[in-house]
Amino acid sequence: MNTLSEHTKNILGLQLPTDPRWVSLAGLSLEAILTDHAYCEQKAALTCISLIQRYSDKVELVTQLAPIVTEEWGHFRLVLHELHRRGLKLGVQRRDEYVNRLIAFQQKGGSEEGRLLDHLLTMAMIEARSCERFKRLSEGLEDEYLRNFYRRFMESEAGHYALFIDLAELYNPKELVRKRWREWLEHEVLIMREIELRGDRIH
Ligand SMILES: [Fe+2]
Ligand SMILES: [Fe+2]
């Protein structure tokens, strides 16, 4: 059953907790999970850069996301260091089915505001699910060092989730953000049910 506290559940809004078997699978394939995690951090940094490029006229967005680029790249370096410290290698980047499916749900046409909203909510969604997965790792991995390692990531990504929601509310009416976020949460459940549970993937 769901072991996330009500508090965490409320923060993230996720409708479907991760299958408890996932953390055991992840613990069995550390090189793969760390590699996948490293690329997730790299993609987070890259996406923040592309949002800054695309929405360069939005002062608050640019100001808020500039330091996140540095932070996500710092996360990438931490994970890379962890791989090397363990004598493991950064493997190849895989196709990210979870993120591809989220992108497929984004509004394609319509207003500029609507597309920006979906870009920000996509980021909030990835941060929320990553945070939930890191929480699982911080509680369920056997290696105590890694449990602490993942606790720090969990806290950081929770902050990013809140930041993307705040930005969404800055550029859109709150009620609209809430309505669209509920649609994202419902859609994410379908994605989570459809994609295979794999220990070598963060999501
Ligand atoms: Fe990160
Ligand atoms: Fe993040």
Side-chain angles (χ1 to χ4, degrees), residues 104-156:
F105 187 65
Q106 288 175 345
Q107 175 188 321
K108 297 300 184 294
S111 67
E112 175 76 1
E113 290 77 19
R115 291 200 301 276
L116 169 61
L117 175 59
D118 270 2
H119 274 140
L120 294 171
L121 295 186
T122 304
M123 292 301 279
M125 196 77 250
I126 298 168
E127 296 287 1
R129 183 55 76 184
S130 302
C131 175
E132 194 252 26
R133 291 271 158 122
F134 294 153
K135 183 173 194 294
R136 293 276 170 186
L137 294 173
S138 75
E139 290 169 349
L141 283 175
E142 274 178 31
D143 186 312
E144 192 190 347
Y145 182 90
L146 273 185
R147 285 203 304 274
N148 290 324
F149 181 77
Y150 275 111
R151 177 155 302 279
R152 292 199 300 273
F153 282 100
M154 176 194 88
E155 288 163 1
S156 177

Side-chain angles (χ1 to χ4, degrees), residues 41 44 68 71-72 75 127 156-157 160-161 164:
E41 300 293 356
I68 306 300
E71 208 178 308
E72 301 291 21
H75 287 173
E127 296 287 1
S156 177
E157 310 308 359
H160 295 167
Y161 155 80
F164 284 110

Side-chain angles (χ1 to χ4, degrees), residues 4 6 8 19-20 32 40 48 56 75 84 96 98 104 108-109 117 126 141 144 159 168 176 195:
L4 275 182
E6 274 311 307
T8 309
D19 186 321
C40 288
C48 286
S56 58
H75 287 173
H84 292 165
D96 196 332
Y98 176 74
K108 297 300 184 294
L117 175 59
I126 298 168
L141 283 175
E144 192 190 347
L176 177 68
I195 59 179

